[in-house]
Amino acid sequence: MPGGRLTDEDRQRIAAGLAARLAYAEIGRRLDRPASTIMREVTRNGGPDGYRAAQAHKDTRQRARRRKQPRPAAPALLDNAHGRDPHAVRDIAETFTELLMSQGLPRMEARVLSCLQFADSGALTSADLVRRLGVSPASVSHAVAYLETQAMLRRERVAGTRRERYVIDDQVWLHGLLTSVQTNHAVADASKRAAEILGPATPAGMRFEYAAELLDLVNDALRQAVDQWRRTLADRAAGPD
């Protein structure tokens, strides 16, 4: 797989591809680079709408000068008995972690969640995470506490021991969507109340009214998606007729 650092010319071509609304995969093909490399480059430097080639090149060079130690590796796959390409796994794990960060998840929390996602068991102890991520137990503890409040993982006692392990299930994203629905609903209600207090005909009141309408539409779509997904799971569990 092609490697090496992106050049200023590469970044100019990435910017041109984004301006032309090309997909990451197509930009990657034109540069003979993996799509994941393009995705990480864009995510780290302003996103599709904010990417600027010259600024991205400058920021990357500054980050390289500040970096005194190698960056921690992306979460590694625990189970190596399936014939997987370790380089491909590491690449997609790093991409996945970067995407979680681009959605607002702090770096350590993103690394912990990604590590759990890439473990076939979906369950790791604190010691496992410390060893895999090369971080302190305190860092893992803080990250796990945050992820637990977001319903992204749960704790389980390891049978016959006093140790705990942290577990995600196949529905982790469903839980996240349901949390988003609850949050959106609360914000929509507050926006409606703000519109009433400010006056729906005033600029500020209209702003809150529009926000509430949008959030209600988003929530309706999310509820429909959740219902459809649950029906899909029920059909799969029932098996073929």
Side-chain angles (χ1 to χ4, degrees), residues 171-192:
Q171 303 307 314
V172 61
W173 304 117
L174 176 60
H175 302 326
L177 283 177
L178 292 174
T179 299
S180 295
V181 168
Q182 294 174 349
T183 301
N184 287 344
H185 183 71
V187 175
D189 284 348
S191 296
K192 292 172 186 176

Side-chain angles (χ1 to χ4, degrees), residues 74-78 84-95 118:
L77 186 70
L78 276 180
R84 294 160 173 151
D85 179 349
H87 298 292
V89 171
R90 180 176 295 277
D91 185 67
I92 190 58
E94 184 176 348
T95 297
F118 278 84

Side-chain angles (χ1 to χ4, degrees), residues 155-165:
R155 299 171 188 259
E156 284 185 355
R157 182 62 59 88
V158 178
T161 74
R162 298 178 61 184
R163 293 185 302 159
E164 289 183 328
R165 64 177 186 170

Side-chain angles (χ1 to χ4, degrees), residues 36 40 74-82 84-100 110-124 129 132-133 166-170 172-173:
S36 57
R40 286 198 302 273
L77 186 70
L78 276 180
D79 308 301
N80 295 320
H82 299 281
R84 294 160 173 151
D85 179 349
H87 298 292
V89 171
R90 180 176 295 277
D91 185 67
I92 190 58
E94 184 176 348
T95 297
F96 189 76
T97 302
E98 293 283 351
L99 287 172
L100 291 175
R111 296 186 69 207
V112 168
L113 184 59
S114 185
C115 197
L116 285 166
Q117 280 282 111
F118 278 84
D120 281 319
S121 65
L124 298 170
L129 289 166
R132 292 283 167 180
L133 300 177
Y166 311 119
V167 183
I168 60 170
D169 58 36
D170 294 340
V172 61
W173 304 117

